[in-house]
Amino acid sequence: MLKEERHDFILNEVRIRNRVLLSDLAQQLNVSEDTVRRDLADLHNQGKLKKVHGGAIAKSFTPFSFHQEEIYDHQNKQIIARKAAQLLKKDMVVLITGGTTNLELVTQLPEDLHLTFFTPSLQVAMQLGQMQSVDTILLGGKVAKDAQVTFGMDALKTLSQTQADICFLGTGHLDPVNGVSEFDWEVVQLKKAMIDSSKKIVLLTLSAKLNSTQRYKICEVNQIHTLITELDPSDPALAQFKAVGLEII
């Protein structure tokens, strides 16, 4: 594979999933980790992504910034966000993870709807903090430098004392057999706790992320109540998820 082709592949993966691992890219491209490391350095120097320890993150995934022009597939994420916002009702307690799709959901919230949000995401908390009708609780704990979320015992303790009405869960990987998964062990534990602390679990994801699996499982598919993508619910690509009992919006 030519260098330009590798760069295109890497950029596509970063845009879709926000975060990628060097080791996974090397395996997918069938090249050495040193080759991928040089590719990431080139793309970082060109300003197309941000190189971090062990991998890379999308430019739109950097802390305290939310620039719509940098968000991959922004139009489809708006569709997902609008669908998700319709599930919210006055005085709900809401858990929400990070990611650009969930950030888009925040921009779709009705201005006069009182809600209480718990989130481990610094980006999401900053956006929610600008809304007068919303009470925002940032889960405490250590901050993961790349993901820009809090994790650890403090966050898990707070979640164990919380019973949310709904949880909006972002993910990079969903498979009808292998369930929801991620590559960051600490984030996996955090999302497991969020699922345990919520009455209803809603998964927000682009259809491009469907039918993919990572190394650490968060939950089985049947632990998710609702799946929201940009696709029409009748789209054949969603049939296998509907078949295992998910509500599709």
Side-chain angles (χ1 to χ4, degrees), residues 210-211 231-243:
L210 300 177
N211 305 307
L231 302 176
D232 185 275
S234 62
D235 193 290
L238 300 172
Q240 55 191 337
F241 297 97
K242 188 179 294 185

Side-chain angles (χ1 to χ4, degrees), residues 73-86:
D73 212 356
H74 182 233
Q75 185 174 359
N76 280 331
K77 289 181 179 180
Q78 285 182 311
I79 294 172
I80 296 170
R82 284 194 290 267
K83 291 181 182 181
Q86 296 174 6

Side-chain angles (χ1 to χ4, degrees), residues 15-235:
R15 288 164 182 160
I16 291 173
R17 308 191 190 283
N18 288 325
R19 302 173 62 214
V20 294
L21 290 179
L22 185 152
S23 56
D24 286 345
L25 292 172
Q27 184 176 14
Q28 292 167 322
L29 292 166
N30 195 28
V31 297
S32 70
E33 291 191 8
D34 285 340
T35 297
V36 175
R37 191 175 288 109
R38 288 192 295 271
D39 287 339
L40 292 181
D42 288 344
L43 293 168
H44 175 92
N45 292 335
Q46 294 171 30
K48 295 181 177 179
L49 52 70
K50 182 178 179 182
K51 187 175 181 293
V52 297
H53 179 70
I57 60 176
K59 288 182 65 179
S60 60
F61 207 56
T62 53
F64 309 123
S65 65
F66 183 47
H67 304 294
Q68 292 182 344
E69 66 274 10
E70 295 180 351
I71 295 174
Y72 172 75
D73 212 356
H74 182 233
Q75 185 174 359
N76 280 331
K77 289 181 179 180
Q78 285 182 311
I79 294 172
I80 296 170
R82 284 194 290 267
K83 291 181 182 181
Q86 296 174 6
L87 299 177
L88 293 168
K89 298 177 181 179
K90 182 181 178 182
D91 295 329
M92 270 188 167
V93 176
V94 184
L95 290 180
I96 184 169
T97 60
T100 51
T101 304
N102 279 347
L103 276 167
E104 187 60 40
L105 170 56
V106 172
T107 71
Q108 301 289 336
L109 298 179
E111 292 184 4
D112 58 347
L113 187 63
H114 179 262
L115 300 162
T116 299
F117 276 86
F118 286 78
T119 183
S121 168
L122 303 186
Q123 286 180 307
V124 170
M126 291 291 289
Q127 294 295 320
L128 288 169
Q130 300 177 43
M131 304 188 66
Q132 293 299 317
S133 63
V134 171
D135 293 327
T136 306
I137 295 108
L138 177 65
L139 297 172
K142 184 177 180 179
V143 177
K145 297 184 185 302
D146 297 343
Q148 291 298 311
V149 296
T150 57
F151 64 91
M153 290 306 299
D154 288 338
L156 298 182
K157 182 178 179 180
T158 300
L159 287 169
S160 71
Q161 299 169 350
T162 304
Q163 187 62 49
D165 296 296
I166 193 168
C167 174
F168 292 109
L169 200 69
T171 186
H173 303 274
L174 174 65
D175 182 82
V177 175
N178 297 312
V180 185
S181 57
E182 299 284 355
F183 60 72
D184 189 317
W185 177 252
E186 297 285 0
V187 172
V188 167
Q189 303 314 306
L190 180 70
K191 290 185 176 181
K192 282 177 178 285
M194 294 179 77
I195 289 171
D196 291 341
S197 299
S198 304
K199 298 175 185 176
K200 182 172 184 175
I201 312 300
V202 180
L203 195 72
L204 310 182
T205 185
L206 291 169
S207 59
K209 298 180 181 181
L210 300 177
N211 305 307
S212 62
T213 303
Q214 258 297 342
R215 60 200 65 187
Y216 301 127
K217 178 178 285 189
I218 296 171
C219 67
E220 302 288 352
V221 171
N222 60 13
Q223 289 179 261
I224 303 298
H225 300 103
T226 304
L227 172 62
I228 302 180
T229 74
E230 80 281 8
L231 302 176
D232 185 275
S234 62
D235 193 290

